[in-house]
Amino acid sequence: MTVDPADKPRNETEHERLDRQLVELLQGFRVAVTGVQVLFAFLLTVPFSAGFDKVDGAGTPLFYIALFGAALASICFIAPVFHHRILFRLGQKPLLIRRANMFGIIGAFALMASMASATTLIVESLSEAPTWTIITAVVLVALCSYVWFIQPYMTRLKANRPPRRPAGTDATPQ
């Protein structure tokens, strides 16, 4: 039987483990926040561009969902940095890591809503067929949901399951 290297305990203290976890979270946020900032900046300029006055019907709520979703995602991805600065040297790293994780998940949901709404708004503006607008929204939400949430959650469930016993083995110790 081979042992997965991920199953081996790391040779690190609790303090080192917490430091590593916080750095890993913040590195992930750096990637996400760049995309959110670009999207948010684009959305902030849209109302001032030519043709925005033609956005009506479903386009207006789509724009607001995209704009406020990007704002919420930005807030969530940036929040752990300020929590870390304010709680610096108070021994609150486990709390910071739990909060950062929560902010990251909420930020990802907000980013999903923003990306799906912004893309759907563009398709709605360019397409004459409302079917493409609906298909765009459904496909983007489904794709983000699966890749960002469902797939890792299923992996988490599988990792937490007790190992399966081969058929025909007795479950009682001898």
Side-chain angles (χ1 to χ4, degrees):
M1 180 172 132
T2 61
V3 177
D4 184 354
D7 292 338
K8 291 183 181 178
R10 294 174 182 257
N11 189 18
E12 60 188 359
T13 66
E14 178 68 11
H15 181 74
E16 290 169 334
R17 183 180 64 81
L18 292 170
D19 284 345
R20 177 183 50 79
Q21 288 176 342
L22 186 60
V23 167
E24 288 173 356
L25 275 167
L26 293 178
Q27 285 293 83
F29 288 169
R30 282 189 185 108
V31 171
V33 85
T34 303
V36 172
Q37 287 173 334
V38 170
L39 177 60
F40 194 34
F42 164 74
L43 291 167
L44 289 173
T45 63
V46 167
F48 304 105
S49 63
F52 184 73
D53 57 336
K54 295 176 189 165
V55 172
D56 58 359
T60 303
L62 284 171
F63 176 75
Y64 282 119
I65 292 168
L67 181 67
F68 293 118
L72 178 59
S74 294
I75 290 166
C76 288
F77 291 139
I78 294 169
V81 174
F82 293 110
H83 282 240
H84 184 255
R85 291 296 83 207
I86 292 167
L87 299 175
F88 185 67
R89 300 186 99 170
L90 293 178
Q92 298 294 313
K93 205 163 280 181
L95 174 67
L96 288 170
I97 291 167
R98 283 192 308 276
R99 283 185 184 170
N101 189 59
M102 178 196 63
F103 281 126
I105 292 169
I106 293 168
F109 275 107
L111 178 57
M112 176 177 65
S114 183
M115 289 172 54
S117 298
T119 306
T120 303
L121 171 61
I122 292 168
V123 171
E124 194 258 346
S125 299
L126 298 175
S127 176
E128 297 293 323
T131 306
W132 285 113
T133 304
I134 294 166
I135 290 171
T136 299
V138 169
V139 166
L140 284 172
V141 168
L143 184 61
C144 289
S145 294
Y146 181 75
V147 173
W148 292 354
F149 303 107
I150 295 168
Q151 190 178 39
Y153 185 71
M154 288 171 32
T155 302
R156 183 180 186 99
L157 289 176
K158 185 178 177 182
N160 288 334
R161 264 190 233 140
R164 296 175 65 190
R165 295 185 181 271
T169 59
D170 188 3
T172 56
Q174 298 185 14

